[in-house]
Amino acid sequence: MQTQRTRSYSQALHEAIEQEMTRDSNVFVMGQGIDDFKGMYGTTKGLVERFGPNRVFDTPLAEEGMTGIAIGAAMAGMRPIHTHIRMDFMLLAMNQIVNIAAKSHYMYGGAISVPIVIRSVIGRSWGQGAQHSQGLHSLFMHIPGLRVVAPTTPYDAKGCLIASIRDDNPVMFVEHRMVHFQTGHVPEESYTVPTGQARVLAKGDDVTIVGISHAVVECMRAKVCLEQVGIHAEVIDPVWLSPLDVDTIANSVERTGALLVVDSGWTFTGASAEIVAAVGERLQGKKVFKFQRMGFAPVPCPTTKNLEKQYYPDAAGIASSAFSLVRGSKEHWKPEIVDAPEILEFKGPF
Amino acid sequence: MQTQRTRSYSQALHEAIEQEMTRDSNVFVMGQGIDDFKGMYGTTKGLVERFGPNRVFDTPLAEEGMTGIAIGAAMAGMRPIHTHIRMDFMLLAMNQIVNIAAKSHYMYGGAISVPIVIRSVIGRSWGQGAQHSQGLHSLFMHIPGLRVVAPTTPYDAKGCLIASIRDDNPVMFVEHRMVHFQTGHVPEESYTVPTGQARVLAKGDDVTIVGISHAVVECMRAKVCLEQVGIHAEVIDPVWLSPLDVDTIANSVERTGALLVVDSGWTFTGASAEIVAAVGERLQGKKVFKFQRMGFAPVPCPTTKNLEKQYYPDAAGIASSAFSLVRGSKEHWKPEIVDAPEILEFKGPF
Amino acid sequence: MIDRLFRSLFLIRRVEEEIARVYPSDKIMSPVHLSIGQEAISVGVCATLRPEDVVFGTYRCHALYLAKGGNLKAMIAELYGKFAGCAKGKAGSMHLIDTSAGVMGASAVVSSTIPTSVGYAFAEKTRGKDTVVACFFGDGATEEGVFHEALNFASLKKLPVVFICENNYYAIHSTESARRGGPEITAMAQAHGIPAIKLEGMNIEEIIQSVGKAVEEIRNGGGPRFFEIMCYRWKEHVGPNDDFGVGYRKKEEAEPWLANDQVQVVGNKLSEEDRRRIEIAVEAEIAEAFAFAESAELPPDSELLSDIFRTH
Amino acid sequence: MIDRLFRSLFLIRRVEEEIARVYPSDKIMSPVHLSIGQEAISVGVCATLRPEDVVFGTYRCHALYLAKGGNLKAMIAELYGKFAGCAKGKAGSMHLIDTSAGVMGASAVVSSTIPTSVGYAFAEKTRGKDTVVACFFGDGATEEGVFHEALNFASLKKLPVVFICENNYYAIHSTESARRGGPEITAMAQAHGIPAIKLEGMNIEEIIQSVGKAVEEIRNGGGPRFFEIMCYRWKEHVGPNDDFGVGYRKKEEAEPWLANDQVQVVGNKLSEEDRRRIEIAVEAEIAEAFAFAESAELPPDSELLSDIFRTH
Ligand SMILES: Cc1ncc(C[n+]2csc(CCOP(=O)(O)OP(=O)(O)O)c2C)c(N)n1
Ligand SMILES: Cc1ncc(C[n+]2csc(CCOP(=O)(O)OP(=O)(O)O)c2C)c(N)n1
Ligand SMILES: [Mg+2]
Ligand SMILES: [Mg+2]
């Protein structure tokens, strides 16, 4: 038996960038601090030595302007990867992303295209607080003309990033800080993960649990707990949030009759609302299903640990919700606290 | 019998501002061009003469900065009304709105508050195109700490604006260009419309139609057509999108068994998804209902008239969808084209 | 040279006059921002550029599009919302594009093409091309933060961009005194390390000389240059009409500008005969373009959902 | 005067040293950006302000908060995530606030408090108050467009703001040469019509004198003033450690700054006795604050959902 090649999520991203930059001289990376010793959480480390400062460079603090600059370079035929250490900063670049990147191909009747990848990190970790921990993928899902992808496994990280770089359209590439440390199988060769295809991470017949970004890691832990009480959950990672693979989810729900969506973001008018509504559309007249949405508490993220812990859905809470969904709302059960090592072990300051 | 006092939506807004500025010297209005001869579609006309240039003033072109300036003035205890002739420009101010205005009260543990009203116009009219016609209210609904209101009648325009000005929290006040011309009863005295309460515009038992912003005007036209084929639609204007009055809508759907949501925006991960999901949450286990979402086509808005017409849901299309929802998807009917005078009669250039 | 300049100036003026004439018929159902009175800037700057050089503009882009050689028929068809338009009828007047002529588009969001033009220049420089990018915007655009962000990066990387600020004193109806606290716009460019020149008096020859020198320096690796060129918008901000009666400006203010009409100034340098010849040819071209647009097809309904993503 | 300055400088230095000492215990589970080495700017500027004047800061706000008179116990309790914190434990180190002392908050988003401080100044001026607003930010913040937007408006309306750019040469690990194309930061302020002065050499007396004069002029209606004050961050960008070994800067670079430690320079002007008296009092105050924070309660669970909206 061949041993699997194991890499971390960060390493997988690094490898994707390195391979694509080698393959295509139009690919370049820009972002605040990407050429420093931390190298964007290690994902861009050493690239400047390899590819030189024209293709790997630090930028001024100017999110809107630098996004426009990346877009302009893309219009000229290059393929920029623009990185942001926090997704919260994307709010400064919304105009260029939504009014220019997302619209140009359509608005100009196909005359130009904007092949740009915007990487940003959902910053949950170590009391980052209200302005450094937002998962804002739902905002981008709402905008036609943008692709949104939020891979969670190292395998998908590499394959989705390569697919995003090769995509001729703007892609919002969402990385959760807490999945950067996950390890898993990553083939050495170059490969792409198909756009708009969800991944069934675990099979089960009793309830469909959809987890977005880091939440899906907690969903997998919840699944293990649920097995102990005889509930077999199917766990689905949508991977691509736009286009969203509604079929895979709806087919599962048609079988299980129950849907739990757990987001790494707020629920109100967010991805979880879309998933529920879209599955409902597919199944209406065919199958009545029970459902529930979970996500961040509907407030900005507090820094203090005890409130922060309540702020996020955790494996125990997910398992408990799935239990009630399957057994009926009058039945309650909650497993003991389930360890989330990536969260327990993470230490700041950053 | 007393004759009703009739005013246009724009006049209603003007009156609200004038009365609040008279009542409270902390209220002021700022925005690009508000003191010019057009006066923000007439809604700020003459105010500078009445209240002087310290309280009614034009601003530089600087959406992010001016939003921050309004927020700072609000932190000092004033009550700014900041206006934008197109909602599309709000994308330039997302950071101040989301990272500062929405979060400050919570993030600082209640130490300060941000009583600011941000008025912006959904610009449908006369081939405005991709960057001048977006209805982006769904983006703001996703953010905890913001209120979002989109009144459609002159009565609600005045009452909601006064309520928004007096609210101690940031309010995104969404005006659709095509409702500016609507006329209706507007009392002279000052009054508020309660926050978070939907309005049932027409009673009916067969289907619940929820229309957001200008779409509700088309929904009312659709209702008239539907009566002719014996379908009695209940038409609901949510008025406040956040907080959203799910109860009123869910109670109606529980009775009618069918829900059609028509948005003045895109459907994917938008307000219509939330309404469907939230009503589903309320009614699950109680009532199975049929539903459909309608909204802008999932592309940027094209300028040419024939594509633009298809881009927007219209009264005939809404009626047709409601018909199929009630009679089953195999039954089709579409009324003759229903006049939308505000759209037919509108002439640019702007 | 003079005949080419006149041809371009006259073409733009007459096209826009035709647009204004047609507009009340509602055949053009979309906002138009006319450049009438400001044409000499686009024509002068583009006269210093090569065909492979590119330009980025604003919603007020008719003059720039035509000066750079954008296809006239495709432009008028675009305004008429026809499928043969330069953007299949999806863009309208505010977003003209003709990549084959180096017209890289225009945006209705003030100042949003400033960074994209800088990014384009970055790409060209990185790949060793000697393209010059001309970036056009109004005085109002200089108040947006992104203007500074883009200038800073252009300066930092010494990019081949010539920034052209068309200062017509107004942003819609707002005067500069309501919008700007600083002294000259050029001072802001200089504060970013970009050599900047202000040109007053609206003289196309001066524009060509001054910008031409800068373009040459830029092409030789000298980094970005900035021009503030004073001008005057003769028509209303948006739409086909005059607007001296509505209150924000007086006709007297316009008079010196009207008297210094560069279309006439340049035209007068030609012989009567040469001028007539050009005028006749241009009129024919315009008539043809409008006739083409009139009779062209609307986009098929299926176009509504096409072009949202580019797929190979 | 000297004793008050020393007290403030010493307090800030020692508080941050204590934070650094406690940090590895994980009692402070949130990022901390220390001002060690930069204290003299906050202390100097705040010495020129009145209690009713207000300040706005960045995530690197410990020094500013304390210099302006923010409550020490509430600060340490905030860092510990306790309910008695200045923001009930919801804000942490990056968002300190004490409105009663005129500390109007700080933001983790670079440059986002620049416009809010200008808006605050607008409100005060409009209502006829003579408040001066001090707006603190780093060198990196000047690259954000909103910096320019805010300066332009402050200049346009002649608002009572003193802008304080703490230029410590770095934005995280990025040097100015990787980020800025222009000459001096002060040139950008001047281009917005704001008188600007650059202070080198990190001398608290010079800061007090120069800023003090400007604050007086501002209070008399002279409009905004801008200062770029050169300084050096002794510790890593975020966190309690030194970072001269990691590669982006060398210890030698720091040496002149370390030698010019304003805490010592000012302390040395006091008699041994006075200095000891202050130090003992400060140490006691700090010990008390940390003890208070240690024993204070966490916020109740119900706090998670409170404060989202203000209701009368
Ligand atoms: C970001 C943004 N803010 C506001 C507007 C509304 N608007 C359209 S044109 C215009 C004036 C721009 O003035 P200027 O840059 O001087 O160009 P001009 O129209 O004079 O050519 C404004 C404010 C806009 N389109 N985009
Ligand atoms: C808008 C935004 N972009 C990027 C960041 C990430 N970031 C945090 S601190 C920092 C450096 C800021 O440098 P400077 O303004 O000089 O302040 P200093 O930390 O040196 O005090 C950056 C880039 C941020 N917080 N906000
Ligand atoms: Mg102008
Ligand atoms: Mg710095």
Side-chain angles (χ1 to χ4, degrees):
Chain A
M1 210 192 91
Q2 228 195 307
T3 49
Q4 284 209 327
R5 183 169 179 271
T6 298
R7 291 292 182 275
S8 74
Y9 189 99
S10 309
Q11 287 169 329
L13 293 178
H14 188 280
E15 196 165 273
I17 299 175
E18 194 161 22
Q19 290 180 353
E20 285 300 290
M21 290 187 73
T22 306
R23 188 188 61 81
D24 181 352
S25 65
N26 281 314
V27 178
F28 70 95
V29 204
M30 57 187 254
Q32 291 169 25
I34 58 163
D35 57 358
D36 72 9
F37 66 97
K38 293 201 169 173
M40 180 72 184
Y41 306 114
T43 64
T44 57
K45 237 173 151 167
L47 292 177
V48 66
E49 287 77 10
R50 168 105 195 254
F51 298 103
N54 279 338
R55 294 181 65 199
V56 182
F57 59 90
D58 194 6
T59 75
L61 279 67
E63 287 74 9
E64 169 81 357
M66 291 312 307
T67 304
I69 284 160
I71 291 169
M75 287 175 173
M78 296 194 77
R79 294 185 173 269
I81 305 169
H82 189 192
T83 70
H84 301 269
I85 54 171
R86 291 286 178 271
M87 195 167 192
D88 314 70
F89 310 151
M90 304 318 309
L91 293 162
L92 279 158
M94 292 293 281
N95 176 58
Q96 283 293 329
I97 297 171
V98 176
N99 280 334
I100 310 294
K103 298 192 186 353
S104 289
H105 189 63
Y106 185 92
M107 187 169 83
Y108 294 123
I112 52 175
S113 60
V114 182
I116 156 175
V117 179
I118 300 181
R119 291 178 52 199
S120 66
V121 177
I122 301 180
R124 172 177 182 179
S125 53
W126 199 254
Q128 297 287 308
Q131 298 172 329
H132 269 47
S133 58
Q134 292 167 91
L136 299 171
H137 43 279
S138 296
L139 302 186
F140 299 105
M141 290 172 68
H142 186 56
I143 307 299
L146 296 179
R147 301 204 195 282
V148 185
V149 62
T152 59
T153 65
Y155 181 90
D156 283 342
K158 179 172 172 182
C160 288
L161 187 49
I162 293 179
S164 300
I165 293 167
R166 296 184 189 174
D167 199 306
D168 282 332
N169 306 286
V171 181
M172 302 298 301
F173 193 94
V174 182
E175 307 161 27
H176 196 292
R177 184 87 182 93
M178 291 294 117
V179 299
H180 268 177
F181 311 106
Q182 305 282 316
T183 56
H185 173 55
V186 177
E188 184 161 7
E189 71 273 10
S190 177
Y191 61 94
T192 60
V193 164
T195 305
Q197 216 162 288
R199 192 174 289 289
V200 179
L201 291 182
K203 287 272 177 199
D205 287 326
D206 298 329
V207 55
T208 303
I209 307 184
V210 176
I212 293 175
S213 191
H214 176 252
V216 85
V217 177
E218 297 281 31
C219 293
M220 287 298 284
R221 292 185 182 119
K223 181 196 163 62
V224 175
C225 302
L226 286 164
E227 296 287 344
Q228 291 156 16
V229 290
I231 292 176
H232 306 291
E234 181 136 316
V235 179
I236 299 178
D237 181 350
V239 187
W240 296 85
L241 298 173
S242 183
L244 180 69
D245 181 357
V246 181
D247 287 339
T248 296
I249 303 170
N251 290 342
S252 172
V253 176
E254 189 168 6
R255 195 157 35 75
T256 63
L259 170 64
L260 178 63
V261 186
V262 191
D263 198 356
S264 299
W266 295 299
T267 59
F268 193 74
T269 321
S272 63
E274 179 57 40
I275 291 173
V276 164
V279 171
E281 269 156 13
R282 278 319 142 87
L283 297 185
Q284 69 179 319
K286 274 200 206 166
K287 173 89 179 184
V288 174
F289 62 96
K290 298 175 279 185
F291 72 92
Q292 190 182 331
R293 294 185 278 168
M294 298 178 80
F296 295 176
V299 290
C301 185
T303 47
T304 189
K305 210 64 194 176
N306 72 321
L307 299 186
E308 198 191 37
K309 201 176 149 19
Q310 293 176 70
Y311 183 79
Y312 294 105
D314 61 8
I318 295 166
S320 174
S321 292
F323 182 89
S324 297
L325 208 53
V326 174
R327 297 281 164 86
S329 59
K330 276 178 207 105
E331 296 239 23
H332 292 291
W333 163 83
K334 198 169 182 176
E336 293 298 294
I337 283 157
V338 187
D339 274 357
E342 71 279 11
I343 292 166
L344 293 175
E345 288 160 17
F346 186 89
K347 282 204 183 183
F350 207 28
Chain B
M1 211 191 92
Q2 231 196 302
T3 50
Q4 283 208 327
R5 185 170 177 270
T6 298
R7 292 291 181 276
S8 74
Y9 189 99
S10 309
Q11 287 170 328
L13 293 177
H14 189 281
E15 196 164 273
I17 298 174
E18 193 162 23
Q19 289 180 353
E20 285 300 287
M21 290 187 74
T22 306
R23 189 188 60 81
D24 180 352
S25 64
N26 281 314
V27 178
F28 70 95
V29 204
M30 57 187 255
Q32 291 168 26
I34 59 163
D35 57 357
D36 73 8
F37 67 96
K38 293 201 168 172
M40 179 70 185
Y41 307 113
T43 64
T44 57
K45 236 173 153 169
L47 293 177
V48 65
E49 288 77 9
R50 168 108 193 251
F51 298 103
N54 279 337
R55 294 181 65 197
V56 182
F57 59 90
D58 195 4
T59 75
L61 279 66
E63 287 75 8
E64 169 81 358
M66 291 312 306
T67 303
I69 284 160
I71 291 169
M75 287 175 172
M78 296 194 78
R79 295 185 171 269
I81 304 169
H82 189 192
T83 69
H84 301 269
I85 54 171
R86 290 288 177 269
M87 196 168 190
D88 313 70
F89 309 152
M90 304 318 309
L91 291 163
L92 279 158
M94 291 293 280
N95 176 58
Q96 283 292 329
I97 296 171
V98 176
N99 279 333
I100 311 293
K103 298 194 186 353
S104 289
H105 189 61
Y106 185 92
M107 186 169 84
Y108 293 123
I112 52 176
S113 60
V114 183
I116 155 175
V117 179
I118 300 182
R119 290 178 52 199
S120 67
V121 176
I122 302 179
R124 172 176 183 178
S125 52
W126 200 253
Q128 297 287 309
Q131 299 172 329
H132 269 47
S133 58
Q134 293 166 89
L136 299 170
H137 42 280
S138 295
L139 302 186
F140 299 105
M141 290 172 68
H142 186 55
I143 307 299
L146 296 179
R147 300 203 195 284
V148 185
V149 62
T152 58
T153 64
Y155 181 90
D156 283 342
K158 178 171 173 180
C160 289
L161 187 49
I162 293 178
S164 300
I165 294 167
R166 295 184 190 174
D167 200 305
D168 282 332
N169 306 287
V171 182
M172 302 299 300
F173 194 94
V174 182
E175 307 162 26
H176 196 293
R177 184 89 181 92
M178 290 295 118
V179 299
H180 268 177
F181 312 104
Q182 304 283 316
T183 55
H185 173 53
V186 177
E188 184 162 7
E189 70 275 10
S190 176
Y191 61 94
T192 60
V193 165
T195 304
Q197 217 163 289
R199 193 176 289 288
V200 179
L201 291 182
K203 288 271 176 197
D205 288 325
D206 299 329
V207 55
T208 304
I209 307 183
V210 176
I212 294 175
S213 191
H214 177 252
V216 84
V217 177
E218 298 282 29
C219 293
M220 287 297 285
R221 292 185 182 118
K223 181 197 163 61
V224 175
C225 302
L226 286 163
E227 296 286 344
Q228 290 157 16
V229 289
I231 292 177
H232 307 290
E234 180 135 316
V235 179
I236 299 179
D237 181 349
V239 187
W240 296 85
L241 298 173
S242 183
L244 180 69
D245 181 358
V246 181
D247 287 339
T248 295
I249 303 170
N251 290 342
S252 171
V253 176
E254 189 169 4
R255 197 157 33 76
T256 63
L259 170 64
L260 178 63
V261 186
V262 191
D263 198 357
S264 298
W266 296 300
T267 59
F268 192 74
T269 320
S272 63
E274 179 58 40
I275 291 172
V276 164
V279 171
E281 269 157 12
R282 275 325 139 86
L283 297 185
Q284 70 179 321
K286 273 198 206 168
K287 173 90 180 184
V288 174
F289 62 95
K290 299 175 279 187
F291 72 92
Q292 190 182 331
R293 295 184 277 168
M294 299 178 80
F296 295 175
V299 290
C301 184
T303 47
T304 188
K305 210 66 194 173
N306 71 322
L307 299 185
E308 198 192 36
K309 201 178 149 19
Q310 294 176 69
Y311 182 79
Y312 294 105
D314 62 7
I318 294 166
S320 174
S321 293
F323 183 89
S324 298
L325 208 54
V326 173
R327 297 278 164 86
S329 59
K330 277 178 207 106
E331 296 239 24
H332 292 291
W333 163 82
K334 197 170 182 176
E336 294 297 294
I337 282 156
V338 187
D339 275 357
E342 71 279 11
I343 291 165
L344 294 175
E345 288 162 17
F346 187 88
K347 282 203 186 184
F350 209 30
Chain C
M1 175 71 168
I2 294 290
D3 54 349
R4 267 198 288 137
L5 291 181
F6 176 68
R7 194 192 176 287
S8 188
L9 287 166
F10 184 73
L11 171 72
I12 296 167
R13 173 67 54 85
R14 286 291 302 123
V15 165
E16 289 204 316
E17 285 173 350
E18 276 304 289
I19 291 170
R21 195 184 58 76
V22 166
Y23 206 75
S25 71
D26 295 349
K27 286 176 180 163
I28 299 171
M29 297 180 85
S30 184
V32 290
H33 301 74
L34 301 183
S35 309
I36 290 179
Q38 305 187 191
E39 304 92 339
I41 300 177
S42 290
V43 173
V45 171
C46 289
T48 73
L49 301 177
R50 297 180 182 166
E52 319 83 68
D53 291 337
V54 305
V55 300
F56 285 79
T58 74
Y59 47 88
R60 196 180 304 288
C61 59
H62 298 171
L64 179 59
Y65 175 95
L66 292 172
K68 188 64 178 61
N71 185 294
L72 176 61
K73 281 186 183 172
M75 168 182 163
I76 306 301
E78 187 60 39
L79 268 62
Y80 274 69
K82 299 300 178 69
F83 196 38
C86 60
K88 302 187 184 168
K90 293 178 177 180
S93 154
M94 299 197 287
H95 313 285
L96 297 181
I97 189 162
D98 186 341
T99 56
S100 67
V103 181
M104 290 308 300
S107 171
V109 180
V110 169
S111 111
S112 57
T113 48
I114 304 179
T116 50
S117 64
V118 170
Y120 198 102
F122 171 80
E124 296 295 89
K125 179 174 174 171
T126 300
R127 295 180 298 183
K129 301 193 189 168
D130 69 349
T131 316
V132 170
V133 177
C135 171
F136 285 72
F137 48 89
D139 48 303
T142 68
E143 293 145 31
E144 294 282 358
V146 75
F147 163 79
H148 293 276
E149 296 179 351
L151 261 64
N152 178 40
F153 190 77
S155 170
L156 179 68
K157 302 285 180 186
K158 306 223 173 310
L159 300 180
V161 189
V162 58
F163 294 101
I164 307 291
C165 176
E166 298 191 61
N167 187 345
N168 62 10
Y169 301 90
Y170 292 96
I172 310 188
H173 314 114
S174 302
T175 58
E176 291 201 84
S177 64
R179 301 181 279 115
R180 263 186 353 96
E184 303 279 327
I185 286 176
T186 47
M188 299 193 285
Q190 284 154 354
H192 291 293
I194 302 180
I197 291 174
K198 178 173 181 172
L199 298 179
E200 305 196 71
M202 185 52 120
N203 178 325
I204 194 166
E205 295 193 356
E206 190 190 358
I207 292 171
I208 292 173
Q209 208 190 344
S210 192
V211 175
K213 185 163 164 290
V215 166
E216 206 175 309
E217 288 164 9
I218 293 168
R219 209 181 301 282
N220 292 329
R225 293 285 186 279
F226 188 100
F227 289 88
E228 177 188 9
I229 308 182
M230 304 311 292
C231 57
Y232 201 77
R233 161 169 60 73
W234 295 8
K235 298 285 172 186
E236 58 188 337
H237 167 72
V238 55
N241 302 306
D242 290 341
D243 69 351
F244 295 106
V246 300
Y248 73 103
R249 59 179 190 172
K250 292 228 173 61
K251 184 77 186 279
E252 293 84 73
E253 188 183 88
E255 237 104 60
W257 299 93
L258 298 170
N260 176 34
D261 180 359
Q262 292 294 295
V263 182
Q264 299 311 325
V265 170
V266 174
N268 288 341
K269 294 187 182 157
L270 294 170
S271 70
E272 186 71 7
E273 194 193 323
D274 284 355
R275 181 171 174 160
R276 271 313 287 157
R277 190 178 31 76
I278 293 172
E279 287 177 356
I280 288 166
V282 164
E283 295 291 357
E285 198 186 333
I286 293 173
E288 196 189 346
F290 276 81
F292 171 77
E294 292 263 357
S295 64
E297 303 283 327
L298 290 169
D301 284 359
S302 63
E303 274 299 319
L304 178 67
L305 300 180
S306 76
D307 296 329
I308 179 66
F309 287 112
R310 172 149 162 195
T311 43
H312 308 270
Chain D
M1 173 72 167
I2 295 290
D3 55 347
R4 267 196 288 138
L5 290 182
F6 176 68
R7 193 188 178 289
S8 187
L9 287 167
F10 184 74
L11 172 73
I12 296 167
R13 173 67 55 84
R14 286 291 303 122
V15 165
E16 289 204 317
E17 285 173 350
E18 278 302 291
I19 291 169
R21 195 182 60 74
V22 166
Y23 205 75
S25 72
D26 295 349
K27 285 176 180 163
I28 299 171
M29 298 180 86
S30 186
V32 291
H33 301 75
L34 301 183
S35 309
I36 290 179
Q38 304 186 193
E39 304 92 339
I41 300 178
S42 290
V43 173
V45 171
C46 288
T48 73
L49 300 177
R50 298 179 181 168
E52 319 83 68
D53 290 337
V54 304
V55 299
F56 285 79
T58 74
Y59 47 88
R60 196 180 304 288
C61 60
H62 298 170
L64 179 58
Y65 175 95
L66 291 173
K68 188 61 175 64
N71 185 294
L72 175 61
K73 281 186 182 171
M75 168 182 162
I76 306 302
E78 186 61 38
L79 268 63
Y80 275 67
K82 301 300 178 71
F83 196 39
C86 60
K88 301 187 185 169
K90 293 177 178 180
S93 155
M94 299 197 287
H95 313 285
L96 297 181
I97 189 165
D98 185 343
T99 56
S100 67
V103 181
M104 289 308 300
S107 171
V109 181
V110 169
S111 110
S112 57
T113 48
I114 305 179
T116 50
S117 65
V118 170
Y120 199 102
F122 171 80
E124 296 295 89
K125 180 174 173 171
T126 301
R127 295 180 299 184
K129 301 192 189 168
D130 69 350
T131 314
V132 171
V133 177
C135 170
F136 285 72
F137 48 89
D139 48 303
T142 67
E143 294 146 31
E144 294 282 357
V146 74
F147 163 79
H148 294 276
E149 296 179 351
L151 260 63
N152 178 39
F153 190 77
S155 170
L156 180 67
K157 301 287 179 183
K158 306 222 172 311
L159 299 180
V161 189
V162 58
F163 294 100
I164 308 291
C165 176
E166 298 191 60
N167 187 344
N168 61 11
Y169 300 88
Y170 292 96
I172 308 188
H173 314 116
S174 303
T175 58
E176 290 201 86
S177 64
R179 301 180 278 115
R180 262 184 356 95
E184 303 279 327
I185 286 175
T186 47
M188 299 194 284
Q190 284 154 354
H192 292 293
I194 302 181
I197 291 173
K198 178 173 181 172
L199 298 178
E200 305 197 71
M202 185 54 120
N203 177 326
I204 194 167
E205 293 193 358
E206 191 190 358
I207 292 171
I208 293 173
Q209 210 189 344
S210 192
V211 176
K213 187 163 163 293
V215 165
E216 205 176 309
E217 287 165 9
I218 294 168
R219 209 182 300 283
N220 293 329
R225 293 286 186 282
F226 188 99
F227 289 89
E228 177 189 8
I229 308 182
M230 304 311 292
C231 57
Y232 200 77
R233 162 170 58 73
W234 295 8
K235 298 286 171 185
E236 58 188 339
H237 168 70
V238 57
N241 302 308
D242 289 341
D243 69 351
F244 295 106
V246 299
Y248 73 102
R249 59 178 189 173
K250 291 226 172 65
K251 184 78 186 276
E252 293 82 75
E253 187 183 272
E255 236 106 60
W257 299 95
L258 298 170
N260 177 32
D261 180 358
Q262 292 293 295
V263 181
Q264 298 312 324
V265 169
V266 174
N268 287 341
K269 292 185 184 160
L270 293 171
S271 70
E272 185 71 9
E273 195 193 322
D274 283 355
R275 181 170 173 161
R276 273 311 288 157
R277 191 176 31 76
I278 292 171
E279 287 178 355
I280 289 167
V282 165
E283 294 292 357
E285 198 186 334
I286 293 173
E288 196 189 347
F290 276 81
F292 171 77
E294 292 264 358
S295 63
E297 304 283 328
L298 290 169
D301 285 359
S302 62
E303 274 300 317
L304 178 68
L305 299 179
S306 76
D307 296 330
I308 178 66
F309 287 112
R310 172 150 162 193
T311 43
H312 309 271

